[in-house]
């Protein structure tokens, strides 16, 4: 409890030092790059059991061995250590102290990438292509929620799969069937370039920009492959997994029965004249960590 400045009355405000946020981001950057989340390793094991192609089986065996070595030796699972994408759900009763939150998040990324011997992959502009030197800035999305907690999710996002992502402003007349066709077309166009087996994040609804953020956030659902709590979306996810795997692209694009290990769909209210659909692909190096402060 501390007095509210404008009225002098007590109020419940939780103070969190930005240094704590920086240290949390630093730790997550190292952990996410060195060790795949356990539930995703299990998803890869299930894929190995389901895969019928001998070369696809070998690819999955190598991915599982790589996951074991990277975790044991504390080295990057993939050389593309990606963007550091942060999703922050901040309770409205939280007050950050000690400086700028945005600067602290960037500091955490810089320290984590230096400590973990992770490649600095960001350039300061698409035009001049000068490397920022420390993998900053972080790509941060903020949501204000009730309460006094902070939930931080870090998604390490490589460029190969991100480059294969897509967004289309469908019309309501295209309907769900049009959305299904768009998803499968996107997977087929990506082929091996997205480094399958992929995790597919789909955002439907909102505006042009909201759909893209929904799709990226959908990738962070835990555990990998868990169905949407909305029955209709869960049914759609299962249908899309079947349709994507039917493309036969397979692990690493060498052909096979497993092209995706999960499809996660998130929906949001939208305009009566719109049906925005964004598809964000994540490669087999699916690197996510979530903590609640």
């Amino acid at each position: 409890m501390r007095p509210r400045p404008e009225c002098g009355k007590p109020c419940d405000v939780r103070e969190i030092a930005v240094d704590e946020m920086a240290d949390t981001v630093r730790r997550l950057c190292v952990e996410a790059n060195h060790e795949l989340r356990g539930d995703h390793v299990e998803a890869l094991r299930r894929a190995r059991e389901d895969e019928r192609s001998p070369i696809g089986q070998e690819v999955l065996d190598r991915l599982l061995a790589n996951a074991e070595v990277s975790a044991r030796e504390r080295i990057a699972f993939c050389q593309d250590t990606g963007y550091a994408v942060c999703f922050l759900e901040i309770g409205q009763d939280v007050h950050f102290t000690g400086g700028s939150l945005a600067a602290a998040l960037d500091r955490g990324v810089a320290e984590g990438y230096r400590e973990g011997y992770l490649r600095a992959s960001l350039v300061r502009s698409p035009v001049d292509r000068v490397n920022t030197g420390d993998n900053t800035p972080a790509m941060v999305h903020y949501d204000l929620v009730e309460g006094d907690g902070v939930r931080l999710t870090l998604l390490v996002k490589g460029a190969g799969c991100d480059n294969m992502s897509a967004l289309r402003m469908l019309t309501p007349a295209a309907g769900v069937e049009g959305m299904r066709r768009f998803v499968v077309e996107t997977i087929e166009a990506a082929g091996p370039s997205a480094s399958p087996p992929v995790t597919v994040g789909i955002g439907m609804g909102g505006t042009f920009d909201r759909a893209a953020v929904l799709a990226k956030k959908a990738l962070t659902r835990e555990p990998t492959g868990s169905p949407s709590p909305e029955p209709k979306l869960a049914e759609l996810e299962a249908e899309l997994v079947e349709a994507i795997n039917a493309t036969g692209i397979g692990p690493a694009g060498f052909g096979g029965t497993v092209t995706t290990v999960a499809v996660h769909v998130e929906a949001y209210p939208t305009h009566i004249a719109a049906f925005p659909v964004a598809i964000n692909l994540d490669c087999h190096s699916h690197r996510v960590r979530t903590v609640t402060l």
Side-chain angles (χ1 to χ4, degrees):
M1 301 278 284
R2 68 185 180 89
R4 194 184 298 274
E6 64 271 21
C7 63
K9 295 180 180 179
C11 61
D12 292 322
V13 175
R14 180 187 179 195
E15 293 188 343
I16 298 177
V18 296
D19 286 348
E20 182 179 353
M21 298 297 296
D23 189 61
T24 301
V25 170
R26 173 197 60 76
R27 176 172 56 83
L28 294 186
C29 284
V30 176
E31 289 180 2
N33 275 288
H34 287 178
E35 187 172 356
L36 295 186
R37 211 169 59 187
D39 62 276
H40 190 70
V41 174
E42 287 303 314
L44 291 175
R45 289 197 179 108
R46 291 193 299 271
R48 174 60 177 83
E49 293 174 1
D50 294 339
E51 181 55 55
R52 295 294 172 260
S53 162
I55 193 168
Q57 292 171 353
E58 181 179 350
V59 168
L60 289 161
D61 284 340
R62 289 176 183 248
L63 290 175
L64 289 166
N66 194 48
E68 182 181 342
V69 171
S70 67
R72 183 178 67 246
E73 303 294 334
R74 311 308 296 167
I75 54 177
F77 179 87
C78 176
Q79 55 83 26
D80 184 356
T81 51
Y83 306 88
V85 182
C86 296
F87 292 95
L88 274 171
E89 296 178 9
I90 302 173
Q92 61 189 13
D93 296 325
V94 171
H95 174 63
F96 292 102
T97 63
S100 162
L101 174 60
L105 298 176
D106 281 347
R107 187 169 77 251
V109 170
E111 291 174 354
Y113 274 68
R114 182 172 57 252
E115 176 186 318
Y117 297 98
L118 307 173
R119 190 182 78 185
S121 301
L122 268 62
V123 294
R124 69 185 184 188
S125 163
V127 178
D128 65 25
R129 315 299 298 184
V130 175
N131 199 295
T132 63
D134 56 9
N135 218 61
T136 63
M139 307 294 165
V140 186
H141 303 278
Y142 299 94
D143 280 320
L144 193 63
V145 298
E146 292 184 354
D148 63 356
V150 174
R151 180 180 171 88
L152 169 62
T153 297
L154 173 74
L155 169 66
V156 175
K157 196 70 174 65
C161 50
D162 225 36
N163 288 345
M164 296 297 105
S165 301
L167 190 152
R168 187 173 292 175
M169 298 299 290
L170 299 176
T171 63
V176 174
E177 185 55 39
M179 184 275 289
R180 287 195 194 97
R181 286 196 300 270
F182 175 42
V183 171
V184 175
E185 289 169 5
T186 300
I187 296 295
E188 290 177 332
S193 298
S195 299
V198 293
T199 300
V200 183
I202 299 174
M204 300 190 303
T207 53
F208 178 92
D209 53 318
R210 171 71 70 149
V213 175
L214 280 173
K216 192 168 291 292
K217 192 170 185 179
L219 292 172
T220 67
R221 187 189 298 173
E222 189 175 356
T224 295
S226 57
S228 168
E230 297 290 334
K232 288 185 177 180
L233 294 184
E235 182 180 351
L236 181 59
E237 290 170 344
E239 293 170 356
L240 287 170
V241 167
E242 183 176 349
I244 290 169
N245 285 336
T247 63
I249 294 168
F254 288 122
T257 51
V258 179
T259 301
T260 182
V261 293
V263 175
H264 297 162
V265 179
E266 298 293 336
Y268 198 78
T270 193
H271 195 280
I272 57 173
F275 192 157
V277 179
I279 304 163
N280 199 206
L281 305 182
D282 206 14
C283 64
H284 51 65
S285 307
H286 183 57
R287 295 157 292 181
V288 186
R289 282 293 188 281
T290 299
V291 295
T292 299
L293 280 74

